[in-house]
Amino acid sequence: MRKWINRSFRWYYQQRYRRIERFSRHPHEIQRALWKQLIEAGRHTEWGLIYDYRSLRDPMAYGKRVPLQNYDELKPYIERMMMGEKDVLWNGTIKWFSKSSGTTSDKSKYIPVSRQNLFQCHIRGTWDTMTLLYHNRPDARQFECKSMLMGGSLSPFEPYPKTMVGDVSAIMIHNMPFVGRPFFTPDFETALLDDWEVKLEKLAQAGAAEPNIVMIGGVPTWTVVLMRRILEITGKENMLEVWPNFQAYIHGGVSFRPYREQFRQFFPDDKVNYQEIYNATEGYFAAQDDFTRDDMLLLLDNGIYYEFLPMDAWDQKEPQAIPLWEVETGKHYALVISTNAGLWRYTPGDTVMFTSTDPYRVRVTGRTKHFVNAFGEEVVVENTDKALAETCQLLNATVTDYTVAPVYFKGNGKGSHEWLIEFEKPPVDVDAFGQLLDANLQKINSDYEAKRHKDIALECLQIKSLPKGTFHSWLRSKGKIGGQHKVPRLANHREHVEEILEFLEK
């Protein structure tokens, strides 16, 4: 029976793939039509009346009239929506609000998730991901076996309990189509528990008892913790001894590069696929469509109109974003989105680089606030992830997590970068590791190389090796334990580093 169901889904995904081919072949027409739909939907809202959406005729006029928005600028409107006001940023009232991970801030951001955004963006993006998975491997068995859920939690918004808030993963699980529910484990009550550590143990127990799991999705940081616990429970050497039919890990949230070696140890079989997705709190933006590449296909018909702000214009007083049809490969852009939940020309804070424009494929390169540029070196997360992965491979080391901050000039001293690294498998010589890491970073980033030339401006980076579990414990102390919470990779200040070091001393 299950084999027949899986064959039915495989046929369905073949039909869905035609839609993906269509927006890949006609990206500009799709995006222009989508822009028009969004403007039509928003013209009667308070926001649409303020900016006179009725008179807008094309995306160029829209870009000139509506300024770029960050969360603080939209926050007053969102707070009113959370209290039940209708027709503010989007039509009608919105019941669901996704809670941002708030990686670098104790304050949470609440992002509206309209019914259209939920089903035509987030859930559609999930279907697109499965379509691409089945297209890449026709032997996929998601609807013949079981997949494991690692979701967040939901709760009523205390000032107005009719509004529900939680991780976007929890909102998606709660609204999952019934046709898909029998193929997931654990039960939905467990998947939506709010105590992450209790949930993690229940997930591990369920995973240890279910040999027929073929897929799991989640942020690598927390998936590693789960896998370790399952191996501890079962006493097995690797996860293929626990899940012999395993086929695919769907990952996102952070770069997979630092974790690839750990997952090779978990799944020592080249037949296991790793599919990257770009599913943010604000929308489901992209998914890996070709497993031989390291980039993702931009999903162009899921309720989001895209613009891109060149990073060299980020700090300008009135920066000008460009439409999709003007982007170039190899350049860093800050993402700008207009969504079917009422985020108008919103900057979620991610930076991307196009690797292809036919079709449009991207890589996430970091965050607009996650970089180190204290000395003009312009180091971004993509640089550090790549340099670290190459160094680990050469010196047979494995990293669990890391964060980087500048070390500022003191007196006649020179600046440098300080790396706090938690090793799963430490190198034989940490100093040699640091020197090679520094050399690899210079190869990748010419600005860093220039500042390091003959130690004129910067000295070799410094590494402090942290005890295992430090980052996990630090996040827990901040109340940031769970699937979407992540260690900030880079910062152009020392607040996180000093806080972690102080936490370690205590």
Side-chain angles (χ1 to χ4, degrees):
M1 180 65 175
R2 281 180 172 263
K3 288 184 178 180
W4 179 86
I5 293 172
N6 194 58
R7 282 198 296 268
S8 299
F9 271 100
R10 186 180 297 120
W11 176 87
Y12 171 66
Y13 287 138
Q14 288 171 349
Q15 313 315 305
R16 277 186 60 87
Y17 189 73
R18 296 174 184 173
R19 201 193 93 257
I20 293 175
E21 288 182 311
R22 178 174 175 268
F23 73 66
S24 296
R25 286 195 303 265
H26 308 285
H28 306 158
E29 294 89 332
I30 295 293
Q31 276 284 281
R32 286 189 175 98
L34 182 52
W35 173 83
K36 188 174 181 181
Q37 292 170 14
L38 292 173
I39 295 302
E40 284 289 326
R43 65 195 300 185
H44 299 297
T45 64
E46 179 180 323
W47 185 270
L49 293 172
I50 291 172
Y51 289 99
D52 191 17
Y53 276 17
R54 282 179 177 272
S55 67
L56 287 173
R57 295 291 178 263
D58 56 58
M60 185 179 296
Y62 174 65
K64 290 180 178 179
R65 183 179 303 175
V66 182
L68 299 180
Q69 305 293 317
N70 59 35
Y71 183 78
D72 288 337
E73 289 160 335
L74 289 184
K75 183 178 177 181
Y77 298 92
I78 292 173
E79 288 178 337
R80 288 165 51 202
M81 295 163 72
M82 294 180 74
M83 294 301 293
E85 283 195 48
K86 65 179 182 178
D87 300 333
V88 181
L89 292 174
W90 191 251
N91 294 318
T93 57
I94 293 182
K95 175 183 178 180
W96 302 97
F97 288 80
S98 56
K99 190 176 180 181
S100 165
S101 61
T103 306
T104 61
S105 171
D106 289 331
K107 297 179 180 178
S108 295
K109 297 178 181 179
Y110 295 98
I111 304 298
V113 182
S114 67
R115 182 174 179 81
Q116 295 93 328
N117 184 251
L118 175 61
F119 289 100
Q120 296 171 21
C121 181
H122 288 288
I123 291 178
R124 178 182 286 179
T126 302
W127 285 108
D128 287 339
T129 299
M130 289 300 97
T131 298
L132 294 169
L133 174 64
Y134 273 68
H135 180 74
N136 277 271
R137 57 177 308 163
D139 65 336
R141 302 171 63 195
Q142 189 204 9
F143 292 95
E144 183 181 335
C145 303
K146 291 274 190 177
S147 296
M148 176 163 271
L149 292 169
M150 287 186 70
S153 60
L154 291 170
S155 61
F157 180 54
E158 193 171 324
Y160 190 77
K162 288 183 179 180
T163 292
M164 297 293 292
V165 298
D167 295 337
V168 69
S169 58
I171 296 172
M172 292 169 70
I173 290 171
H174 183 87
N175 290 279
M176 181 185 290
F178 283 98
V179 67
R181 296 190 178 205
F183 303 96
F184 286 89
T185 189
D187 60 89
F188 280 31
E189 182 180 351
T190 299
L192 296 174
L193 282 173
D194 58 356
D195 188 320
W196 176 252
E197 292 186 282
V198 171
K199 174 160 56 182
L200 195 65
E201 180 63 22
K202 286 181 175 289
L203 283 168
Q205 296 291 342
E210 175 54 77
N212 212 24
I213 289 176
V214 293
M215 190 184 80
I216 187 173
V219 175
T221 314
W222 299 110
T223 309
V224 167
V225 175
L226 174 65
M227 301 292 189
R228 287 176 183 160
R229 179 58 183 142
I230 291 174
L231 292 177
E232 187 179 316
I233 292 169
T234 60
K236 302 295 186 182
E237 290 293 321
N238 63 68
M239 288 304 301
L240 286 178
E241 293 181 5
V242 184
W243 299 336
N245 300 315
F246 191 80
Q247 292 183 322
Y249 171 50
I250 314 295
H251 62 90
V254 297
S255 171
F256 192 56
R257 274 185 176 138
Y259 301 96
R260 189 171 293 278
E261 183 56 37
Q262 290 180 71
F263 276 84
R264 284 198 186 104
Q265 294 171 17
F266 287 140
F267 300 104
D269 188 335
D270 292 339
K271 293 180 181 178
V272 172
N273 290 121
Y274 301 95
Q275 184 179 16
E276 184 176 5
I277 61 171
Y278 185 9
N279 182 23
T281 308
E282 297 85 359
Y284 209 119
F285 302 139
Q288 192 172 356
D289 68 312
D290 183 344
F291 293 175
T292 66
R293 301 174 59 100
D294 65 349
D295 48 14
M296 295 174 284
L297 182 71
L298 198 61
L299 304 177
L300 298 173
D301 70 340
N302 64 346
I304 298 175
Y305 174 71
Y306 294 98
E307 296 174 85
F308 302 90
L309 178 63
M311 280 307 295
D312 55 12
W314 176 257
D315 291 324
Q316 292 179 6
K317 187 175 181 180
E318 295 183 1
Q320 297 298 311
I322 59 176
L324 181 70
W325 42 93
E326 292 183 17
V327 299
E328 300 176 40
T329 59
K331 291 189 174 182
H332 292 278
Y333 296 98
L335 190 65
V336 179
I337 56 173
S338 297
T339 78
N340 53 4
L343 299 180
W344 301 106
R345 305 203 76 216
Y346 179 78
T347 54
D350 293 332
T351 61
V352 299
M353 183 178 71
F354 281 88
T355 56
S356 165
T357 55
D358 185 19
Y360 284 99
R361 292 191 178 104
V362 298
R363 283 205 302 262
V364 180
T365 56
R367 299 277 294 171
T368 54
K369 294 182 179 179
H370 291 195
F371 57 85
V372 182
N373 192 32
F375 313 100
E377 64 272 46
E378 297 186 13
V379 172
V380 297
V381 175
E382 185 185 40
N383 301 154
T384 54
D385 279 344
K386 186 176 181 180
L388 190 60
E390 291 178 357
T391 307
C392 284
Q393 185 176 8
L394 288 169
L395 296 183
N396 194 26
T398 309
V399 167
T400 301
D401 241 320
Y402 75 95
T403 191
V404 184
V407 177
Y408 295 108
F409 298 132
K410 286 186 178 179
N412 295 324
K414 296 171 184 175
S416 64
H417 289 181
E418 182 172 18
W419 291 58
L420 304 188
I421 302 180
E422 189 178 317
F423 289 100
E424 170 66 18
K425 181 181 180 182
V428 175
D429 186 334
V430 174
D431 290 337
F433 185 93
Q435 290 171 14
L436 181 59
L437 177 60
D438 189 89
N440 284 332
L441 188 57
Q442 290 185 56
K443 291 178 185 177
I444 292 166
N445 184 308
S446 58
D447 290 312
Y448 182 75
E449 181 183 33
K451 302 302 181 296
R452 284 283 295 116
H453 181 63
K454 296 184 178 180
D455 294 347
I456 293 173
L458 291 177
E459 293 180 326
C460 184
L461 61 84
Q462 310 168 19
I463 291 180
K464 183 172 181 60
S465 180
L466 303 183
K468 288 184 179 181
T470 299
F471 284 119
H472 187 175
S473 299
W474 174 65
L475 287 173
R476 181 171 53 197
S477 73
K478 293 168 66 66
K480 292 184 176 296
I481 189 167
Q484 289 194 346
H485 297 299
K486 303 176 284 289
V487 174
R489 290 285 191 241
L490 308 182
N492 207 36
H493 55 75
R494 293 189 53 80
E495 292 174 17
H496 306 313
V497 163
E498 297 294 349
E499 188 177 315
I500 293 167
L501 293 175
E502 184 180 348
F503 172 81
L504 196 59
E505 288 181 5
K506 290 179 181 179

